Amino acid sequence: MPTYAYACKQCGHRFDAVQSFSDAALTECPSCGGELRKQYGSIGVTFNGSGFYRTDSRGSNGASSGAASGTSAGSSTSSSSESTKTASTPAS
Protein backbone atom coordinates (compact mmCIF):
# COMPACT_ATOMS: atom_id res chain seq x y z
CA MET A 1 0.00 0.00 0.00
CA PRO A 2 1.26 3.51 -0.73
CA THR A 3 2.47 5.92 1.92
CA TYR A 4 1.18 9.49 1.75
CA ALA A 5 2.75 12.52 3.44
CA TYR A 6 0.45 15.05 5.10
CA ALA A 7 1.04 18.48 6.66
CA CYS A 8 -1.29 20.57 8.81
CA LYS A 9 -2.05 24.03 7.49
CA GLN A 10 -2.47 25.46 11.01
CA CYS A 11 0.19 23.92 13.27
CA GLY A 12 2.61 22.60 10.62
CA HIS A 13 2.59 19.04 11.99
CA ARG A 14 3.92 16.60 9.36
CA PHE A 15 3.36 12.85 9.25
CA ASP A 16 3.07 9.87 6.89
CA ALA A 17 0.01 7.65 6.54
CA VAL A 18 -0.18 4.24 4.86
CA GLN A 19 -3.45 4.15 2.94
CA SER A 20 -5.06 2.09 0.21
CA PHE A 21 -5.77 3.69 -3.17
CA SER A 22 -9.49 3.46 -2.42
CA ASP A 23 -9.22 5.18 1.02
CA ALA A 24 -10.36 8.80 1.29
CA ALA A 25 -7.69 11.41 1.95
CA LEU A 26 -7.22 12.50 5.57
CA THR A 27 -8.67 15.93 6.36
CA GLU A 28 -8.12 16.47 10.10
CA CYS A 29 -4.79 16.92 11.90
CA PRO A 30 -4.30 14.39 14.73
CA SER A 31 -2.43 17.03 16.80
CA CYS A 32 -4.62 20.13 16.65
CA GLY A 33 -7.67 19.17 14.57
CA GLY A 34 -6.74 21.63 11.82
CA GLU A 35 -7.03 21.14 8.06
CA LEU A 36 -4.53 18.82 6.35
CA ARG A 37 -3.00 18.96 2.90
CA LYS A 38 -1.13 16.23 1.03
CA GLN A 39 2.55 16.71 0.42
CA TYR A 40 3.80 15.73 -3.02
CA GLY A 41 7.45 14.90 -3.53
CA SER A 42 9.68 13.03 -5.89
CA ILE A 43 8.78 9.51 -6.86
CA GLY A 44 10.90 6.76 -5.32
CA VAL A 45 11.02 4.56 -8.40
CA THR A 46 14.15 3.97 -10.47
CA PHE A 47 14.17 2.03 -13.72
CA ASN A 48 17.50 0.27 -14.27
CA GLY A 49 18.62 -2.22 -16.87
CA SER A 50 17.76 -2.70 -20.51
CA GLY A 51 14.31 -2.23 -21.96
CA PHE A 52 13.48 1.13 -20.39
CA TYR A 53 14.81 3.42 -23.08
CA ARG A 54 13.63 4.16 -26.60
CA THR A 55 16.97 3.11 -28.08
CA ASP A 56 16.76 -0.35 -26.47
CA SER A 57 14.01 -1.50 -28.84
CA ARG A 58 15.72 -0.39 -32.06
CA GLY A 59 17.35 -2.77 -34.51
CA SER A 60 21.09 -3.35 -34.77
CA ASN A 61 21.46 -0.95 -37.73
CA GLY A 62 20.97 2.13 -35.52
CA ALA A 63 21.85 0.92 -32.05
CA SER A 64 25.22 1.88 -30.65
CA SER A 65 25.23 -1.03 -28.18
CA GLY A 66 25.56 -3.60 -30.97
CA ALA A 67 28.47 -1.74 -32.53
CA ALA A 68 30.19 -1.36 -29.18
CA SER A 69 29.87 -5.04 -28.32
CA GLY A 70 31.19 -6.06 -31.73
CA THR A 71 34.19 -3.78 -31.32
CA SER A 72 35.01 -5.05 -27.86
CA ALA A 73 34.76 -8.68 -28.99
CA GLY A 74 37.14 -8.00 -31.89
CA SER A 75 39.65 -6.23 -29.69
CA SER A 76 39.68 -9.03 -27.12
CA THR A 77 40.32 -11.59 -29.88
CA SER A 78 43.22 -9.60 -31.33
CA SER A 79 44.79 -9.00 -27.92
CA SER A 80 44.64 -12.70 -27.08
CA SER A 81 46.33 -13.61 -30.38
CA GLU A 82 49.02 -10.97 -29.73
CA SER A 83 49.73 -12.38 -26.27
CA THR A 84 50.05 -15.86 -27.78
CA LYS A 85 52.61 -14.56 -30.31
CA THR A 86 54.66 -12.78 -27.66
CA ALA A 87 54.53 -15.76 -25.34
CA SER A 88 55.72 -18.17 -28.05
CA THR A 89 58.52 -15.87 -29.30
CA PRO A 90 60.82 -16.09 -26.24
CA ALA A 91 60.40 -19.88 -26.04
CA SER A 92 61.65 -20.36 -29.65
Side-chain angles (χ1 to χ4, degrees):
M1 284 201 280
T3 302
Y4 296 100
Y6 288 94
C8 179
K9 290 182 178 182
Q10 293 178 1
C11 71
H13 176 70
R14 295 174 186 262
F15 64 96
D16 294 338
V18 178
Q19 295 177 293
S20 174
F21 288 110
S22 59
D23 290 346
L26 300 178
T27 57
E28 188 176 320
C29 177
S31 296
C32 71
E35 187 179 356
L36 291 177
R37 61 184 167 91
K38 275 189 180 180
Q39 298 286 298
Y40 295 100
S42 62
I43 299 173
V45 176
T46 305
F47 296 104
N48 292 329
S50 63
F52 295 108
Y53 299 97
R54 189 173 85 173
T55 56
D56 288 344
S57 62
R58 292 186 180 175
S60 62
N61 59 354
S64 61
S65 63
S69 65
T71 306
S72 64
S75 63
S76 65
T77 305
S78 64
S79 64
S80 64
S81 63
E82 289 175 11
S83 63
T84 306
K85 290 177 186 177
T86 56
S88 61
T89 305
S92 300

